[in-house]
Amino acid sequence: MRVRKAVIPVAGLGTRFLPYTKAIPKEMLPIIDLPAIHFIVQEAIDSGIESILFITSKEKYSIEDYFDRNFYLEYFLNKNKNYAALNELKRIPENVNIFSVRQKEAMGLGHAILHAADFIGAEPFAVFLPDDLIFSKVPVMKKMIEIYGKLGRGVVAVEKVEKAKISSYGIIKPKPAGSRIYDILDMAEKPALKDAFSNLGIVGRYVLPSKIFDYIRETKAGAKGEIQLTDALKAMMRNEGLCAHEFEGVRCDTGDKFEYILAILKYASMQKGLKQKLKKAIKKIF
Ligand code: G1P
């Protein structure tokens, strides 16, 4: 079955970016002239996704507003013949259906994803965690959907993470199963370094069969007292198998201040003629 739907949980409070995130969702942090969530939605569309469900919470309406049209603004720009500005608005993708549902309590990623059960029905689906921006030649999700099509098992994205950060990730026990593909033999959410199976950490991209919802329903609160997606994945792995794709690309965790700056620099370096200018300017600053 084709993967047509995606779920993007955006209910998080963004405490690492307070006070900014007191009034503005972290997903709307600017990567120069685009909000971070724009890149995620674009990756979904470029991977063949047709419908997206945002799992939202209070104060997150600006995300929905961003992907909606603003007739007043368009009318005003048209009236003033400001066609350049109108053109900028056209960068916002419209070729996708956007839905949203509210997560009323922050009870973990597994709990958030469970809100998508009715929307997904019996289809396989994609999950994007909006903090993880990935700059790559081929959209990472596109590649993962291909792998899902070939192997017929859930796929999670992984990358090698530094020792110091192992306890911030879901960590897998890998068995090589092809080029940049692993069978997952075991996994743990945010283990202590000494208990980690490997240095391969789960990054925020998943392709999952709808069966995952049954596993989430059976999952008890785990790390941080929350219903963890990783625990449900582990149960599913045992019965149905699960694999990992070590993607190619530069991934920035925009929830981290340092990596957020890197995301801006990476995006800036992709703009025509800006790379050399940037390099020079950075040397000057430091
Ligand atoms: C979540 C997942 C974790 C994964 C991480 C990737 O954790 O639970 O397994 O490695 O995203 O960004 P969070 O960062 O939401 O605590």
Side-chain angles (χ1 to χ4, degrees):
M1 214 187 283
R2 222 157 63 75
V3 179
R4 302 181 304 132
K5 296 178 183 172
V7 178
I8 311 184
V10 294
L13 290 175
T15 49
R16 290 185 286 177
F17 266 88
L18 281 170
Y20 180 94
T21 43
K22 178 169 176 262
I24 296 168
K26 62 174 173 160
E27 295 78 10
M28 295 301 287
L29 277 162
I31 309 293
I32 309 185
D33 53 358
L34 297 173
I37 192 70
H38 179 114
F39 292 81
I40 303 286
V41 167
Q42 193 63 58
E43 182 187 333
I45 294 170
D46 294 343
S47 304
I49 296 297
E50 294 163 7
S51 296
I52 291 175
L53 177 70
F54 286 124
I55 316 286
T56 72
S57 61
K58 205 168 149 22
E59 317 293 0
K60 296 278 182 166
Y61 36 80
S62 57
I63 300 174
E64 288 158 79
D65 286 349
Y66 179 76
F67 291 102
D68 193 3
R69 285 181 70 176
N70 181 335
F71 284 107
Y72 175 72
L73 180 61
E74 287 177 29
Y75 165 81
F76 182 81
L77 294 174
N78 253 316
K79 207 174 100 188
N80 291 314
K81 300 194 168 41
N82 190 346
Y83 302 119
L86 270 169
N87 244 344
E88 291 299 328
L89 287 181
K90 289 198 182 121
R91 294 165 68 194
I92 301 173
E94 280 196 0
N95 49 342
V96 67
N97 303 310
I98 304 256
F99 300 80
S100 74
V101 63
R102 283 208 182 190
Q103 182 187 16
K104 292 178 185 147
E105 266 179 286
M107 286 170 63
L109 183 56
H111 178 257
I113 300 295
L114 194 53
H115 286 68
D118 275 355
F119 170 76
I120 297 298
E123 298 183 29
F125 64 104
V127 176
F128 293 80
L129 302 189
D131 281 358
D132 286 328
L133 290 200
I134 307 179
F135 299 94
S136 58
K137 281 200 193 110
V138 180
V140 171
M141 185 55 82
K142 188 171 183 210
K143 189 89 206 25
M144 290 173 67
I145 291 173
E146 276 170 29
I147 296 171
Y148 180 87
K150 269 190 207 142
L151 304 182
R153 275 178 287 145
V155 189
V156 304
V158 293
E159 76 172 354
K160 295 192 175 83
V161 297
E162 295 165 29
K163 272 188 183 168
K165 289 198 170 165
I166 284 213
S167 58
S168 306
Y169 288 87
I171 299 290
I172 67 157
K173 182 175 182 182
K175 184 178 155 214
S179 168
R180 293 189 163 268
I181 299 175
Y182 301 96
D183 271 325
I184 303 182
L185 303 180
D186 208 343
M187 58 204 299
E189 179 67 9
K190 304 190 171 67
L193 178 59
K194 64 174 177 44
D195 303 324
F197 298 117
S198 71
N199 62 349
L200 286 174
I202 299 173
V203 164
R205 301 288 184 277
Y206 308 75
V207 181
L208 301 172
S210 58
K211 267 201 166 176
I212 189 67
F213 297 117
D214 295 334
Y215 290 99
I216 298 175
R217 285 187 194 101
E218 286 164 16
T219 300
K220 305 226 159 57
K224 296 202 283 185
E226 295 176 344
I227 296 171
Q228 295 294 347
L229 179 61
T230 304
D231 294 339
L233 288 172
K234 185 173 168 174
M236 190 174 78
M237 168 206 81
R238 287 200 194 104
N239 297 336
E240 339 268 341
L242 184 67
C243 53
H245 169 51
E246 190 176 0
F247 62 90
E248 285 178 279
V250 175
R251 170 242 176 195
C252 304
D253 171 9
T254 55
D256 175 87
K257 284 178 193 163
F258 180 70
E259 290 199 23
Y260 168 65
I261 295 167
L262 293 185
I264 293 173
L265 289 174
K266 177 70 191 163
Y267 180 54
S269 76
M270 289 156 62
Q271 316 288 320
K272 243 188 171 173
L274 218 59
K275 196 169 177 171
Q276 293 311 323
K277 232 172 142 181
L278 256 176
K279 272 190 178 168
K280 269 193 203 156
I282 286 173
K283 262 194 196 148
K284 235 180 173 179
I285 296 174
F286 300 103

